[in-house]
Amino acid sequence: MGSSHADGSAIAERHRSKHREATADTAFGGWIDGERRTDGPERGIEDPVIGESIVEVPQCDIGDVDGAVDAAWSAFEGGWTDASVRDRSKRLFEWADALADHVEELTLLECLDCGKPISQARGEVEGAIDTLEFYASAVRAHRGSEVPAGDDLHLYTTQEPYGVVGQIVPWNYPLWAAAWKLGPALAAGNACVLKPASDTPLSTIRAAQLSEGIFPDGVLNVVPGSGSDVGQAVAAHEDIRKVSFTGSTGVGSGVMHAAADRVAPVTMELGGKSPFIVFPDADLEKVVSAVADGIFYSTGEICDAFSRAIVHDSVADEFTERFVEAAESHVLGDPLDEVTTMGPLTSGEQLETVTGYIETGKGEAELLCGGGTPGNPALSAGHYVEPTVFRGVTNDTTIGSEEIFGPVQTIQTFEDYDEAIELANDTQYGLASGIGTESTSLVHRTADDLDAGLVYVNEYGPIMPDAPYGGFKQSGFGKDLGLEALEHYQRTKSVYVNLDEPEL
Ligand code: NAD
């Protein structure tokens, strides 16, 4: 396993200087009714590489959520509801352009806040912009329908926004996740109140500030704060007509309960424990790289991580050998370095969770590589963990069944097709799945049999805004992305126009 060569104090100095650069011109805090909210108790936003605060962010409270919801309704009823589709589309494009003018600034914030390698942070910021552009375009082509109903009835459908919608996002790809929700919601004509994750609000706050003068005040509101106060207030708010949540299954279920009390619809993007089936004819070079990308991208802090490799007996040894090599080839280091391929986990709490699972795994299966924190003293202040691989894992073990959300791969084997499918589907989750094979018919048959909302064949991703994204079973329901997400932010109305006989 490689690591960057800078020493710890050089990394710390460089980060402190980047903290100043990234935050110099901006007062972070809530963005409510087109204004910065910069009072309130402050929370230090930790840089997971050096364990120091990047900047203090004033936190919103329940009163701010009320204020944001009121502002959103005023904006909605004060004109946003009547804005033409063309107007909404143009404003979304303008916002996307404003973000594009600040890609490096947003990338730096994302990199510092999440500890994500800078190339990945840049890719996600660009992905956020692409998502906004997709919805700015798609909404222009979106339309209702006419229902053939006979000569005396003109029957058609229209789509209307909900009004004010609430959105709650996680810490693992903050701006991209926010764009997945804001893009379709704003395009559909809603006003939004979005709560970023407590640990990683910076890029989203800055992106909201960059919308100044583009959307009418109150159309886009961001309320940073804790999940238990601000998140819960968004989930339970009487005047929020729809809630879209991305996060853990446990918290998501609580959000559903809160929304159910007022019969508000919800979209749930939740956890995963995604399998990748490697068939005997797989091109191992392609497939090892796909599975390794799938579990090690973003230090494994990604909901659709391929955390379970299910490999045919006949190729298991070769796959395992190559996979361990791929794991060990990662360069752990300062995420600001372009050569770094794996940064730290995003928080100390997550480091504790992941290392806890690794310790449990040592008693459940055979550890092949990793299994600890890196020896490089330059990284000792950060929340780093080595890419880790276990073999001999079964579905009834803790590491084989629970979402770890870190760079920990489990490898298990199968003998025949039915066993592969049974192992893959034997989980409470159903977010993503993967298939490694060169056989077209096997691809289609397996894609049919996998009980998951996403199927990747011979690769991991790329995730595109054009296609719906979301899981089955306890991975959630409803979709982010694609035209489906636009529909989820709209209500359909059927209009029956009875036509009289012409009297001429
Ligand atoms: P989390 O559930 O702890 O938090 C998600 C968001 O909910 C955060 O903004 C948090 O502050 C807020 N929250 C916490 N308690 C709340 C409450 N009581 N009421 C309302 N909101 C509350 O999840 P996380 O740790 O931020 O993210 C990791 C999880 O998210 C993993 O399980 C991962 O699989 C999942 N995830 C899923 C997807 C997907 O698309 N399916 C994408 C990313 C992450």
Side-chain angles (χ1 to χ4, degrees), residues 156-167:
Y156 64 95
T157 63
T158 60
Q159 259 90 40
E160 296 178 0
Y162 279 93
V164 175
V165 299
Q167 301 164 317

Side-chain angles (χ1 to χ4, degrees), residues 88-319:
R88 296 200 301 263
S89 163
K90 277 178 73 178
R91 290 176 197 259
L92 261 179
F93 272 122
E94 255 183 77
W95 188 34
D97 286 347
L99 301 190
D101 288 342
H102 290 79
V103 165
E104 287 310 313
E105 179 190 351
L106 293 165
T107 297
L108 181 59
L109 284 170
E110 206 75 311
C111 172
L112 292 171
D113 200 353
C114 305
K116 218 177 255 298
I118 195 147
S119 57
Q120 295 180 8
R122 190 177 295 112
E124 292 183 10
V125 170
E126 286 166 352
I129 293 166
D130 189 38
T131 302
L132 298 180
E133 289 174 343
F134 171 75
Y135 285 107
S137 309
V139 72
R140 295 287 301 269
H142 198 61
R143 51 188 57 115
S145 61
E146 184 179 347
V147 182
D151 287 347
D152 55 355
L153 182 62
H154 176 43
L155 176 51
Y156 64 95
T157 63
T158 60
Q159 259 90 40
E160 296 178 0
Y162 279 93
V164 175
V165 299
Q167 301 164 317
I168 302 172
V169 294
W171 43 261
N172 55 329
Y173 54 108
L175 185 57
W176 203 18
W180 289 17
K181 302 212 181 287
L182 293 170
L186 294 170
N190 299 282
C192 300
V193 177
L194 181 137
K195 192 200 95 60
S198 330
D199 285 339
T200 59
L202 301 182
S203 57
T204 307
I205 292 171
R206 185 68 189 123
Q209 293 171 352
L210 292 167
S211 75
E212 186 167 12
I214 296 173
F215 298 113
D217 294 347
V219 163
L220 194 180
N221 303 276
V222 173
V223 285
S226 79
S228 51
D229 286 345
V230 174
Q232 177 63 23
V234 169
H237 204 290
E238 274 297 314
D239 295 327
I240 286 183
R241 293 281 163 80
K242 179 204 161 61
V243 180
S244 180
F245 174 85
T246 299
S248 59
T249 299
V251 174
S253 162
V255 169
M256 282 174 72
H257 279 102
D261 283 343
R262 60 183 191 287
V263 198
V266 292
T267 299
M268 289 283 138
E269 294 296 345
L270 307 174
K273 189 74 181 171
S274 302
F276 191 109
I277 302 177
V278 182
F279 286 108
D281 70 328
D283 174 337
L284 287 187
E285 195 168 325
K286 252 190 321 208
V287 164
V288 165
S289 136
V291 185
D293 283 352
I295 184 64
F296 298 131
Y297 176 81
S298 193
T299 321
E301 294 173 312
I302 196 80
C303 48
D304 62 8
F306 290 141
S307 49
R308 294 187 294 140
I310 300 176
V311 188
H312 191 262
D313 266 339
S314 64
V315 288
D317 285 346
E318 192 182 347
F319 173 88

Side-chain angles (χ1 to χ4, degrees), residues 43 93 172 184 245 310 367 435 437 439 466-467:
R43 178 188 170 114
F93 272 122
N172 55 329
F245 174 85
I310 300 176
L367 176 69
I435 305 170
T437 180
S439 154
D466 317 50

Side-chain angles (χ1 to χ4, degrees), residues 29-32 37-42 57-70 193-196 221-235 237 240:
W31 180 257
I32 298 173
R37 185 195 173 286
T38 49
D39 50 349
E42 294 188 334
V57 173
Q59 300 290 285
C60 288
D61 58 19
I62 296 173
D64 294 314
V65 175
D66 288 338
V69 173
D70 287 349
V193 177
L194 181 137
K195 192 200 95 60
N221 303 276
V222 173
V223 285
S226 79
S228 51
D229 286 345
V230 174
Q232 177 63 23
V234 169
H237 204 290
I240 286 183

